[in-house]
Amino acid sequence: MPDPGDLFDGLHPVPEIAVADEEALDSALAAAAEPFVVRGLVADWPLVAAGRRGAATARDYLSGFARDADFTYAEGLPGAGDRLFYDADMAMNHRTRRARIGTIFAEMAAGERHADAPLRYIASTDVPRFFPGMVEANPMPLGPRDGLAATIWIGTATRVAAHCDAPDNLVCTAVGRRRFTLFPPDQFANLYPGPLDNTPGGRAISMVDFHAADFGRFPKFREALRHARAVVLAPGDALRIPSLWWHHVEALDAFNVMINYWWRTQPAWLAEPNDALLMALFAIRDLPAEARAHWRSVFDHYVFSPDGTVTGHLPEGGRGILDPLTPETAGQLRSYLLRQLSR
């Protein structure tokens, strides 16, 4: 994989902490608003041990758990390199395929013998569903968390463009090394996000090529780098990525496996903020300037700076959805919106 050279020299390192037990990890995850690394957190996983014995052993270990079902994976187009991205026409530079795990692993193994082999990448696949029993064999005791899910990422040497995720995330590298470059949520504009609807993985990605940054086209990227944190994770290491932190991910070795644990801190019955953004694009963005200015002030009043002046003049019991939402009122609001959108 190409080296980005001096571009990342001098970036702030991600802080490293030590945790003595499950309770200490849980406390650190609850308290930290920024990323941190725990070296060797999952070093005793059997999957990590298999990876240390080589890619073939790691694939055999994974195959022992894999369901006899088709897996979805990305295959790079000829000449696309190791970057999951767009082509010159803003179409994907990879195609989506489905096959049994043995077929995919055979393709990966064959590709290890050829420097120009296309990338292959199984992304964000539910571990309990597709590898039953592997979570229990490689435990990560995180305690009770709303919406806790475990997903696995398996692939050749790849680069995934910077993006952000809404859930909180604990990344565990199992096979191969991974380099993460992280940015606080307020740097999103300096990362030059791409389309919201045409995306490689459901989230907008940075259009900046971190291995060949074009500062003429993306001048604000220099400011983003001032706030960036970087780390290379070895097998067995873990990285905490808080909600909405942007992260650029590079799998550095010929075969790589990562398991992520996701959870949410907000109630499950709240809607996704990204859906509200898309609705605002649909309803407000293309209005005349005067109307947009009006709706900006309305949003500020009701959503972003609510205080006693919003509801103080209304009697208790008569404020409806202006009161803090409950599962019941959130359900009523959802039903109303669905009726409106289906007209």
Side-chain angles (χ1 to χ4, degrees):
M1 175 173 289
D3 194 314
D6 294 338
L7 183 67
F8 296 106
D9 289 349
L11 293 186
H12 299 294
V14 177
E16 299 184 13
I17 69 167
V19 294
D21 51 29
E22 176 186 346
E23 184 178 350
L25 175 62
D26 188 68
S27 297
L29 292 171
E34 299 193 354
F36 62 78
V37 170
V38 184
R39 298 287 184 188
L41 181 67
V42 296
D44 59 350
W45 275 2
L47 175 56
V48 174
R52 291 197 183 103
R53 294 193 291 272
T57 304
R59 286 191 284 265
D60 287 345
Y61 182 83
L62 291 165
S63 297
F65 291 95
R67 285 183 57 207
D68 184 20
D70 280 348
F71 285 66
T72 300
Y73 69 108
E75 180 184 68
L77 297 177
D82 57 12
R83 190 180 180 211
L84 288 153
F85 199 66
Y86 302 99
D87 64 17
D89 298 320
M90 292 298 290
M92 297 302 142
N93 70 347
H94 52 277
R95 58 190 170 195
T96 300
R97 298 183 58 190
R98 290 179 60 79
R100 294 301 203 259
I101 198 72
T103 299
I104 302 170
F105 282 172
E107 292 175 353
M108 290 180 178
E112 290 172 2
R113 298 189 291 271
H114 303 282
D116 59 349
L119 69 83
R120 289 179 174 87
Y121 192 55
I122 301 172
S124 195
T125 298
D126 184 81
V127 180
R129 180 182 173 192
F130 284 91
F131 295 91
M134 200 166 76
V135 166
E136 292 75 13
N138 299 266
M140 170 51 67
L142 285 173
R145 276 176 164 72
D146 287 339
L148 182 63
T151 58
I152 194 167
W153 314 68
I154 307 169
T156 58
T158 52
R159 289 190 287 146
V160 176
H163 61 286
C164 74
D165 301 298
D168 287 282
N169 182 5
L170 183 67
V171 174
C172 298
T173 49
V175 182
R177 298 163 300 134
R178 266 184 164 83
R179 174 163 47 205
F180 284 79
T181 309
L182 302 106
F183 303 85
D186 62 4
Q187 291 302 305
F188 78 94
N190 295 333
L191 293 168
Y192 296 90
L196 295 176
D197 51 342
N198 174 32
T199 72
R203 302 287 295 180
I205 63 172
S206 171
M207 297 300 292
V208 181
D209 184 348
F210 281 32
H211 280 204
D214 183 346
F215 291 107
R217 183 181 175 193
F218 306 116
K220 294 188 294 184
F221 183 55
R222 290 192 187 277
E223 177 63 19
L225 288 173
R226 290 184 58 247
H227 301 272
R229 293 95 188 272
V231 65
V232 173
L233 300 182
D237 293 342
L239 168 66
R240 156 83 152 115
I241 304 179
S243 171
L244 302 180
W245 274 71
W246 285 67
H247 45 287
H248 178 271
V249 189
E250 302 171 73
L252 300 176
D253 294 308
F255 183 69
N256 304 267
V257 182
M258 174 177 73
I259 294 180
N260 287 23
Y261 297 87
W262 311 85
W263 65 94
R264 297 179 181 274
T265 55
Q266 70 270 25
W269 41 263
L270 281 180
E272 291 289 341
N274 196 63
D275 293 341
L277 171 63
L278 297 178
M279 190 63 195
L281 292 174
F282 182 35
I284 298 172
R285 194 269 314 274
D286 293 332
L287 293 176
E290 261 186 44
R292 291 201 311 274
H294 166 74
W295 284 107
R296 175 180 291 187
S297 65
V298 170
F299 271 63
D300 282 342
H301 179 74
Y302 284 109
V303 178
F304 296 109
S305 55
D307 54 31
T309 63
V310 175
T311 57
H313 60 289
L314 298 173
E316 291 188 15
R319 296 168 180 171
I321 60 173
L322 294 180
D323 269 335
L325 290 174
T326 65
E328 181 183 8
T329 55
Q332 294 167 357
L333 181 54
R334 184 186 299 272
S335 297
Y336 171 78
L337 290 172
L338 289 172
R339 291 195 301 270
Q340 294 299 107
L341 289 171
S342 64
R343 290 188 308 176

